[in-house]
C-alpha cells in the first residue's frame, strides 16, 4: 500500500509537468503566428530550433523512488549536486533508503559520463560511498559501498529545471555477506549557474 501512495504523487508530478510543457509550446506557436517579424531568419530559427533549457555548470536536485534490497522492497530518497565539465560530472549525493528492518544513510561521490543530446540526455555513472547501516537488531555499522548505474535527463521540459530518471545497483561491502540491491528514482534538478 505504501508503494502505491508513493507512486501516485510521482505520476501526478510528471503529468502536471508534461501539461505545462505542452502549454508552453502552444504559446510559443501562437506568439510566432502573431509576430510581425516572422519573416526574419533569426526570429524563425528560434522557433524551428528552440533554445535548449540552460543547464548550468553546477546544479542541485532531489529524487525519490523505490529500493529493492536483499529481496525486500521499500522507499528511497536523496539529495544531490552536480558539477559539470565538458563530458563528465562529479555528483556528490546524500541518499536514504529503508527496506523492512534495514535502514541506510549514504554519502557518496559519483563520476557521471553524459552523452550529449538536444532533449533527452542519457548518462552512466559509478562511484563509492560511506554507508551508515542500521540492521534489524538496531546494530549500526559504517561500511564502504559501491554504486553503479545510469539514467536519462529530460532537458526541455520547462525553463529552470530538468527531470531525471535514475537507476543504481548498490553493494554494501561487509565482512561475510555483502548487502546488495537496486534503487530506482525519479527526480528534479535545478541549475544554479
Amino acid at each position: 500500500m505504501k508503494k502505491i501512495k508513493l507512486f501516485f504523487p510521482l505520476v501526478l508530478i510528471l503529468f502536471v509537468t508534461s501539461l505545462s510543457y505542452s502549454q508552453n509550446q502552444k504559446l510559443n506557436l501562437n506568439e510566432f503566428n502573431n509576430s510581425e517579424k516572422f519573416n526574419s531568419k533569426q526570429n524563425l530559427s528560434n522557433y524551428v530550433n528552440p533554445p535548449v533549457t540552460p543547464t548550468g555548470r553546477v546544479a542541485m536536485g532531489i529524487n525519490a523512488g523505490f529500493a529493492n534490497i536483499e529481496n525486500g522492497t521499500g522507499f528511497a530518497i536523496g539529495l544531490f549536486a552536480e558539477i559539470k565539465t565538458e563530458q563528465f560530472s562529479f555528483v556528490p549525493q546524500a541518499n536514504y533508503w529503508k527496506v523492512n528492518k534495514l535502514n541506510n544513510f549514504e554519502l557518496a561521490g559519483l563520476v557521471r559520463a553524459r552523452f550529449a543530446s538536444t532533449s533527452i540526455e542519457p548518462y552512466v555513472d559509478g562511484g563509492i560511498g560511506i554507508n551508515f547501516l542500521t540492521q534489524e537488531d538496531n546494530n549500526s555499522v559504517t561500511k564502504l559501498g559501491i554504486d553503479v548505474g545510469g539514467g536519462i535527463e529530460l532537458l526541455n521540459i520547462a525553463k529552470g529545471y530538468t527531470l531525471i530518471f535514475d537507476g543504481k545497483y548498490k553493494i554494501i561491502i561487509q565482512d561475510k555477506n555483502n548487502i546488495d540491491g537496486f534503487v530506482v528514482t525519479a527526480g528534479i534538478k535545478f541549475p544554479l549557474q
Side-chain angles (χ1 to χ4, degrees):
M1 190 64 167
K2 290 181 181 178
K3 294 178 205 173
I4 294 173
K5 288 180 182 178
L6 289 172
F7 179 74
F8 285 116
L10 289 174
V11 170
L12 181 63
I13 289 170
L14 290 174
F15 179 74
V16 170
T17 304
S18 67
L19 281 178
S20 66
Y21 177 73
S22 299
Q23 291 297 322
N24 185 29
Q25 293 303 318
K26 185 176 179 182
L27 290 174
N28 284 343
L29 283 176
N30 288 339
E31 180 183 326
F32 174 74
N33 290 334
N34 295 330
S35 174
E36 295 175 11
K37 298 180 182 179
F38 70 91
N39 290 329
S40 164
K41 286 184 181 179
Q42 179 183 9
N43 204 16
L44 182 60
S45 69
N46 285 337
Y47 291 101
V48 174
N49 299 316
V52 175
T53 303
T55 56
R57 292 281 187 212
V58 178
M60 293 195 70
I62 185 168
N63 56 11
F66 302 101
N68 186 327
I69 309 291
E70 296 293 303
N71 297 321
T73 303
F75 72 93
I77 58 173
L79 296 171
F80 62 91
E82 183 174 7
I83 303 161
K84 289 185 177 182
T85 64
E86 288 301 316
Q87 299 222 341
F88 293 95
S89 298
F90 175 65
V91 185
Q93 299 183 335
N95 301 309
Y96 175 79
W97 55 257
K98 179 174 175 38
V99 174
N100 299 329
K101 294 184 179 181
L102 290 174
N103 294 297
N104 186 58
F105 176 72
E106 174 189 41
L107 296 173
L110 306 177
V111 174
R112 178 169 291 168
R114 295 176 285 123
F115 304 99
S117 177
T118 56
S119 59
I120 297 176
E121 186 175 270
Y123 62 85
V124 293
D125 55 14
I128 59 173
I130 299 172
N131 293 273
F132 303 95
L133 179 67
T134 303
Q135 298 174 347
E136 49 192 82
D137 55 359
N138 286 332
N139 182 24
S140 296
V141 294
T142 303
K143 296 290 182 180
L144 187 67
I146 299 171
D147 296 349
V148 178
I152 58 171
E153 185 172 344
L154 305 178
L155 301 174
N156 291 330
I157 295 297
K159 294 184 189 258
Y161 67 89
T162 59
L163 293 180
I164 293 180
F165 297 94
D166 186 83
K168 294 279 185 288
Y169 177 67
K170 296 181 176 280
I171 300 172
I172 299 174
I173 301 169
Q174 298 212 85
D175 298 334
K176 294 182 181 178
N177 294 325
N178 295 336
I179 295 175
D180 66 338
F182 294 93
V183 175
V184 177
T185 60
I188 189 166
K189 182 174 85 170
F190 303 96
L192 300 178
Q193 291 181 351

